[in-house]
């Protein structure tokens, strides 16, 4: 837990897929800037497939104005990850004084950026748990555990019907969930 103007706070940095299911998240103090945690959060992604190594790089990142920095854009470019991140007004003003390669944020990028609300919906789904919404846990470990549990339940409830099977009592659970299968046997 960290300190900020409001007192002791925490911040959750989240990466989710196109269906709003959490792929990775990091818990930091409230004073930590979003832009400094982008690379570390994306590095946490591990999506296992049916065979081979887990997938660690997304095709595209859609982020808000809290994440554009030269370092983040260079890091994404090095790894071949396409990005849809709008520039802040101060960066646009700075670019007008020192011209360089402009950031393409045309109609196609604007259309893609509308999909960013999936992350907000993912946060709202996690915050259905009162403890997560109120951040009432006293330790970061307990809060992180609650986030993990809520994310797991979100994955289980959002499984497509083709991956569900009915068990005694009529409860539907996924028969095969990537990344969760080893834990289902315990």
């Amino acid at each position: 837990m960290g300190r900020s103007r409001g007192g002791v706070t925490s911040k959750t940095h989240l990466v989710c897929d196109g269906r709003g299911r959490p792929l990775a998240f990091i818990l930091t103090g409230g004073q930590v800037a979003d832009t400094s945690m982008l690379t570390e959060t994306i590095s946490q992604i591990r999506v296992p497939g049916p065979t081979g190594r887990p997938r660690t790089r997304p095709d595209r990142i859609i982020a808000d104005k809290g994440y554009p920095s030269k370092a983040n854009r260079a890091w994404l470019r090095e790894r071949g990850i396409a990005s849809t991140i709008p520039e802040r007004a101060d960066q646009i003003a700075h670019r007008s004084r020192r011209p360089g390669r402009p950031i393409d944020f045309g109609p196609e990028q604007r259309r893609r950026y509308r999909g960013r609300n999936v992350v907000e919906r993912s946060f709202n789904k996690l915050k259905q748990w009162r403890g997560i919404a109120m951040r009432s846990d006293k330790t970061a470990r307990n809060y992180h555990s609650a986030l993990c549990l809520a994310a797991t339940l979100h994955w289980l409830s959002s499984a497509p019907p083709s991956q569900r099977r009915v068990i005694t009592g009529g409860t539907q659970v996924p028969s095969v969930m990537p990344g969760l299968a080893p834990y289902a046997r315990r």
Side-chain angles (χ1 to χ4, degrees):
M1 303 293 177
R3 284 218 167 264
S4 138
R5 285 187 285 179
V8 178
T9 60
S10 64
K11 189 183 285 187
T12 305
H13 305 273
L14 173 78
V15 178
C16 70
D17 67 359
R19 293 176 53 190
R21 299 176 300 189
L23 297 176
F25 51 85
I26 295 177
L27 186 64
T28 63
Q31 76 277 7
V32 177
D34 291 339
T35 191
S36 64
M37 295 305 295
L38 178 72
T39 57
E40 191 173 334
T41 307
I42 293 173
S43 298
Q44 295 289 320
I45 297 175
R46 299 280 182 274
V47 180
T51 60
R53 295 181 308 186
R55 188 164 178 203
T56 58
R57 279 193 269 176
D59 295 328
R60 176 172 294 277
I61 295 292
I62 302 173
D64 62 6
K65 290 185 178 186
Y67 292 95
S69 71
K70 287 181 181 179
N72 285 346
R73 289 185 193 277
W75 188 86
L76 293 170
R77 205 175 304 118
E78 283 174 13
R79 284 153 184 77
I81 301 172
S83 65
T84 301
I85 305 173
E87 282 190 298
R88 294 189 307 256
D90 64 331
Q91 290 178 337
I92 293 171
H94 178 69
R95 187 176 295 283
S96 67
R97 288 191 304 269
R98 296 183 65 192
R101 188 176 76 183
I103 303 296
D104 175 33
F105 208 76
E108 185 66 22
Q109 291 281 54
R110 291 181 197 278
R111 185 188 61 75
R112 282 191 196 109
Y113 187 66
R114 288 188 197 129
R116 197 189 67 77
N117 66 19
V118 174
V119 175
E120 304 303 329
R121 291 195 317 247
S122 180
F123 270 116
N124 290 339
K125 184 80 170 176
L126 292 174
K127 287 183 179 182
Q128 293 296 315
W129 280 41
R130 183 173 158 250
I132 293 174
M134 296 179 63
R135 300 179 187 191
S136 57
D137 290 316
K138 295 194 184 292
T139 63
R141 184 191 68 205
N142 289 350
Y143 186 65
H144 189 266
S145 299
L147 279 170
C148 289
L149 183 58
T152 302
L153 292 175
H154 180 85
W155 264 90
L156 292 173
S157 68
S158 66
S162 63
Q163 291 184 342
R164 294 183 183 190
R165 62 183 170 90
V166 178
I167 59 174
T168 309
T171 309
Q172 291 188 345
V173 297
S175 57
V176 178
M177 288 299 299
L180 299 178
Y183 304 107
R185 294 187 196 107
R186 293 182 187 167

